Amino acid sequence: MLHRTTLPSPLGDLTLVADDTALVAILWPDDKPGRVRLEATTERPDHPVLAAAATQLGEYFAGTRTTFDLPLGPRGTAFQRDVWRALDAIPYGETRSYADIARAIGRPTATRAVGAANGRNPITIVTPCHRVIGRSGALTGFAGGLAAKQHLLAHEQR
């Protein structure tokens, strides 16, 4: 059984989703159907994981939190989970290229596959896929839209 709540944010209403023990998704207001595959959810804002996630995201947006301390349960392939763990290692306020992530997971020729896995990251912001940019430094695709990506990167530079 999955539980959900909605969190107002500077980027619109985010949908937080948890199973019984971990955060499994943070969805954007206009998230594409199927980007993150989840079974049915029930509204449960009092769920302990969702309450903790809402608090920590609120602190992040307020500028008082730079790291998250939440149980995470992203659902994906072994390769995707490797990519997402590499994203978790990108420090607040820093960026990496897709090629950097490919090298970090020991798959230096898998840059495109890293991009695809990055786009399927179910726990956006907490697992900071917004910190991955093109090799040239250009902002590239982002599930929340490029304006949201730019906002998050600028937020982390303050």
Side-chain angles (χ1 to χ4, degrees):
M1 163 93 37
L2 293 180
H3 316 283
R4 75 175 181 284
T5 192
T6 302
L7 175 70
S9 85
L11 302 170
D13 288 346
L14 302 174
T15 301
L16 312 182
V17 181
D19 61 18
D20 290 336
T21 61
L23 187 66
V24 298
I26 299 174
L27 305 174
W28 293 99
D30 295 323
D31 226 321
K32 292 181 182 171
R35 183 183 73 82
V36 177
R37 294 188 181 106
L38 300 169
E39 59 266 26
T41 62
T42 60
E43 185 69 25
R44 180 129 180 254
D46 65 333
H47 185 282
V49 172
L50 296 176
T55 296
Q56 290 188 28
L57 283 162
E59 294 166 350
Y60 169 84
F61 286 119
T64 60
R65 176 175 288 276
T66 60
T67 60
F68 294 93
D69 180 23
L70 297 165
L72 304 179
R75 298 169 178 191
T77 66
F79 178 82
Q80 288 171 328
R81 289 190 312 273
D82 287 345
V83 169
W84 301 335
R85 277 190 295 276
L87 301 178
D88 286 332
I90 304 172
Y92 181 91
E94 294 185 21
T95 58
R96 299 289 184 273
S97 71
Y98 295 96
D100 292 335
I101 301 301
R103 283 191 298 276
I105 64 168
R107 305 276 303 271
T109 62
T111 303
R112 287 183 185 264
V114 164
N118 196 59
R120 291 238 182 235
N121 169 25
I123 308 176
T124 191
I125 303 170
V126 171
T127 294
C129 52
H130 61 279
R131 296 180 189 154
V132 182
I133 59 174
R135 185 181 324 178
S136 69
L139 298 186
T140 55
F142 186 61
L146 290 182
K149 184 172 189 165
Q150 186 173 24
H151 176 93
L152 292 168
L153 292 173
H155 170 75
E156 293 185 6
Q157 292 303 309
R158 294 184 200 134

